[in-house]
Amino acid sequence: MAKLETANVAAGNATVQKWSVRRLFSEWRELGIIVALIATVLAFTAIDPEFLSGYNLVNIVLQASVTAILAMAVTFVIITGGIDLSIGTALALSAVVCGLLMSQGYPLPVVVLGTLAAGALAGLFNGTIITLSGITPFVVTLGSMSIFSGLALIVSGGQTVYGIPPEFSDLLAGRIGPIPTPIVIAFVVLAVASIVMKTTKLGEYLIALGGAREVARLAGIKVGFYTAIAYVISSSLAAVAAMVTVGRLGAADPALGADLLLPAIAAAVMGGADLNGGEGSMLGAVIGALLIATLQAGLTFLNVQAFYQQVAIGVVIILALLSNRLQKA
């Protein structure tokens, strides 16, 4: 009898432990992607200990900074139940505007405001069309993706814009103490975006739109207005990423951003953003971007050819998304 009671207690403890772990993962949405990131770093370090060097880790975070900003940008839209396929070309258009203003000798405040205005107008275009027409965000942003790309080429004359003053590059691509400036900018964006989503009415309303749009409308939330605001924020952050990119490259290429769309969306979704809306994590989006950058850096470190890298990264993204899906089940 005593043995039976002991077995029952042990089984009960195992059940409690199992549910505690499951509850931990469900309550802290970023935990799964953090575990995946740590496992990836440890795996590459086991193959080559040099992977864990300070220089390499800083370089990975630096490479992830622009993708992280774009992932947070698109998270604002995904939370509302939308999608922004134009975010990469909005970056390109903003970058060209930034480059042209800098090459014409405009002062830095004008350049920053002009670049942010270009991004905000791109987002306003998306939000307005989606709100007034009722066309799905996928279709609208698919069209605007082509529009913004064409505008970037038209404005730049189809040429890369040079003549970026060294002072601008030093400001946005230099260092603040020992930390590269793009990393600082990405973490500032993370802090502000997290505060907006967790402590303001704007964040509450955006989540409400994605959770139950009709209920939000009946509750008095201006659905069209806040939908447009989400797209304005998204493209404005793309403009921030554009300035960082121009600073790092010392030039503005109208083809910038074409290869950043899928990593940005993948990072956002891996970090906990639900494509059906209503859920999203800014911290998770940043960690997702770090995971993708770590995979790219690790495979490059091991001299894996680029096309094999694409396959490997695609497989890991699918596995991470499957893990998220099972975690929510």
Side-chain angles (χ1 to χ4, degrees):
M1 187 69 177
K3 289 183 178 180
L4 180 60
E5 290 179 355
T6 302
N8 288 337
V9 170
N13 290 338
T15 302
V16 170
Q17 185 177 13
K18 176 182 176 182
W19 280 104
S20 296
V21 172
R22 186 169 183 175
R23 183 178 179 182
L24 178 63
F25 272 85
S26 63
E27 291 184 354
W28 191 13
R29 290 173 297 182
E30 298 87 359
L31 185 58
I33 194 70
I34 290 174
V35 170
L37 175 61
I38 293 172
T40 303
V41 171
L42 292 178
F44 284 124
T45 303
I47 297 172
D48 189 338
E50 287 297 318
F51 184 79
L52 202 58
S53 66
Y55 172 80
N56 193 50
L57 293 180
V58 170
N59 188 57
I60 289 172
V61 180
L62 179 59
Q63 294 299 323
S65 58
V66 169
T67 304
I69 294 171
L70 291 180
M72 288 184 280
V74 80
T75 297
F76 275 102
V77 172
I78 292 175
I79 284 174
T80 68
I83 194 70
D84 189 357
L85 300 179
S86 67
I87 193 164
T89 54
L91 182 151
L93 179 59
S94 300
V96 167
V97 170
C98 176
L100 289 173
L101 290 174
M102 290 300 300
S103 64
Q104 295 297 319
Y106 285 94
L108 182 61
V110 175
V111 173
V112 172
L113 291 176
T115 306
L116 290 175
L121 287 173
L124 183 60
F125 175 83
N126 283 333
T128 301
I129 298 297
I130 290 168
T131 300
L132 296 182
S133 70
I135 301 174
T136 60
F138 181 92
V139 175
V140 172
T141 58
L142 182 63
S144 61
M145 177 173 66
S146 180
I147 292 172
F148 300 156
S149 177
L151 287 175
L153 290 168
I154 291 169
V155 172
S156 66
Q159 303 294 321
T160 300
V161 180
Y162 295 101
I164 308 300
E167 296 80 10
F168 183 80
S169 295
D170 292 341
L171 179 64
L172 290 180
R175 289 178 175 269
I176 298 177
I179 306 175
T181 305
I183 296 177
V184 175
I185 293 173
F187 276 97
V188 169
V189 172
L190 171 61
V192 174
S194 298
I195 290 171
V196 168
M197 290 307 305
K198 292 181 179 180
T199 65
T200 69
K201 286 292 184 182
L202 173 59
E204 180 183 335
Y205 290 164
L206 294 181
I207 293 172
L209 291 182
R213 185 169 292 263
E214 184 60 22
V215 173
R217 186 185 66 80
L218 294 174
I221 297 175
K222 298 177 181 178
V223 172
F225 174 77
Y226 286 102
T227 297
I229 287 294
Y231 285 91
V232 170
I233 293 173
S234 177
S235 293
S236 296
L237 288 178
V240 173
M243 287 186 280
V244 172
T245 305
V246 170
R248 291 189 64 193
L249 297 178
D253 188 339
L256 283 173
D259 58 343
L260 294 175
L261 169 62
L262 291 181
I265 294 177
V269 177
M270 283 193 298
D274 190 334
L275 289 173
N276 292 319
E279 290 185 24
S281 167
M282 297 300 166
L283 176 59
V286 171
I287 297 171
L290 286 171
L291 176 57
I292 293 173
T294 301
L295 284 168
Q296 292 173 327
L299 294 172
T300 301
F301 206 75
L302 298 177
N303 295 317
V304 175
Q305 294 179 336
F307 40 86
Y308 288 114
Q309 290 186 28
Q310 294 299 317
V311 173
I313 291 171
V315 169
V316 170
I317 288 173
I318 291 174
L319 290 175
L321 297 181
L322 180 61
S323 174
N324 278 353
R325 179 63 61 185
L326 293 175
Q327 181 181 329
K328 294 176 183 178

